[in-house]
Amino acid sequence: MTAYEKLKTVRAAGRPTGSDFVNALFTDRVSLSGDRRYAEDSAILGGIGYLGEQAVTYIAIDKGHTLDERLQKHFGCPMPEGYRKALRLMKQAEKFGRPVICLVDTLGAFCGADGEERGQGQAIAENLTEMMGLKTPVISLVIGEGGSGGALALAVADRVYMLENAVYSVISPDGCASIIWKDAAKAQDAADCLHITAQDMVNFGVAENIIPEDFDHFETMCGGIKTLLLSHLNELCALSPDELLSQRYQRFRRIGIYEENGNTVK
């Protein structure tokens, strides 16, 4: 499949959303709401649950299923209060020593006037800063679209996984085509130029693992994801806070380093 075909696949109606993965992966869940500053944002689900026998904090971007749900959730484009809620839950997880699992599926953060008035850019920036120094393991899984800072605000993690048809990009191909060529119809060309596929992300060091998709056997697929998550959580939980932060820092320092004519370029 081409990059653009993968993009259409993750945008297709009927694809499992964040809430579907939350229900399949975590048991004994307790949902937590609100950012303690302004409001509740239903585009981001959060709470405490068990991954196997491991207590975790889960945070998931959810696009919704019905039209009413999608409108309420802004089609999976979180508001500032959603990101502030996510950060509140991450800091709570750090306090009580729980790992954090993030599920990412968004075109990008909500870009309307309401979001800007309530500090969208600052909310995302705070998440990036705080996640880099969070003294508890963080694993992020891109289950659909990973759009720009709206996705990165939940993906400054120790490990990043992607489903095989998931995409991750600094801008949507549609938006890129509109800016570069003044023609959104050239989104397919933009998708090829942006290198947005899961395999591209592994090649760039942005993601560690690609997870095969099998939505016809969704529970079985999620069982495999759970096993992978627990395996890596065991490794990360064995590290001291200083070791964890050092490895996370080095992970992001390696992104963007490549060799050209035998020379390392940063």
Side-chain angles (χ1 to χ4, degrees):
M1 295 174 66
T2 66
Y4 190 64
E5 287 171 340
K6 288 177 180 288
L7 178 66
K8 290 194 294 184
T9 296
V10 298
R11 290 179 176 177
R15 184 180 175 88
T17 66
S19 62
D20 296 316
F21 280 91
V22 166
N23 293 335
L25 291 173
F26 309 109
T27 59
D28 300 317
R29 297 182 303 279
V30 177
S31 297
L32 300 174
S33 304
D35 66 345
R36 302 282 177 87
R37 299 187 192 181
Y38 182 79
E40 162 69 354
D41 180 8
S42 61
I44 291 187
L45 309 177
I48 303 166
Y50 279 90
L51 183 73
E53 296 183 356
Q54 173 68 59
V56 300
T57 290
Y58 64 85
I59 300 167
I61 300 177
D62 186 45
K63 290 183 174 179
H65 292 98
T66 67
L67 179 58
D68 286 344
E69 285 181 346
R70 290 183 175 237
L71 289 170
Q72 182 183 13
K73 297 171 184 286
H74 303 108
F75 294 87
C77 296
M79 301 287 281
E81 51 267 27
Y83 291 114
R84 293 188 179 112
K85 173 176 69 174
L87 181 56
R88 178 174 76 84
L89 299 186
M90 291 178 203
K91 298 298 287 185
Q92 181 193 78
E94 180 183 50
K95 178 179 179 180
F96 292 102
R98 288 190 300 269
V100 178
I101 306 295
C102 297
L103 305 174
V104 178
D105 184 15
T106 181
L107 178 66
F110 184 77
C111 59
D114 290 351
E116 295 303 316
E117 288 171 356
R118 299 203 287 271
Q120 186 71 281
Q122 182 180 10
I124 291 173
E126 286 179 351
N127 279 32
L128 304 185
T129 301
E130 294 291 339
M131 289 184 77
M132 185 58 75
L134 205 66
K135 295 180 180 178
T136 196
V138 183
I139 296 179
S140 294
L141 170 60
V142 183
I143 60 174
E145 284 190 83
S148 191
L152 189 59
L154 295 184
V156 179
D158 302 293
R159 302 283 191 276
V160 174
Y161 309 145
M162 295 182 67
L163 296 190
E164 64 178 307
N165 290 319
V167 297
Y168 200 179
S169 177
V170 68
I171 187 173
S172 71
D174 320 74
C176 176
S178 297
I179 293 171
I180 301 299
W181 295 294
K182 313 299 182 186
D183 184 1
K186 293 192 175 182
Q188 183 169 352
D189 295 331
D192 292 333
C193 294
L194 286 168
H195 300 286
I196 62 176
T197 69
Q199 188 59 59
D200 289 326
M201 294 304 107
V202 170
N203 294 341
F204 295 147
V206 173
E208 279 76 22
N209 289 84
I210 299 174
I211 299 173
E213 295 180 7
D214 184 5
F215 297 135
D216 290 333
H217 304 90
F218 185 64
E219 293 295 330
T220 301
M221 185 186 87
C222 287
I225 294 174
K226 186 182 296 188
T227 299
L228 180 64
L229 290 171
L230 286 170
S231 173
H232 281 196
L233 280 181
N234 288 336
E235 295 175 12
L236 295 170
C237 288
L239 301 174
S240 70
D242 288 343
E243 290 172 328
L244 185 71
L245 294 182
S246 176
Q247 287 193 14
R248 190 182 302 155
Y249 174 78
Q250 293 301 326
R251 179 186 183 278
F252 281 89
R253 288 290 295 174
R254 288 192 297 270
I255 295 174
I257 297 177
Y258 63 97
E259 287 192 0
E260 187 174 273
N261 297 326
N263 298 315
T264 299
V265 181
K266 299 183 180 180

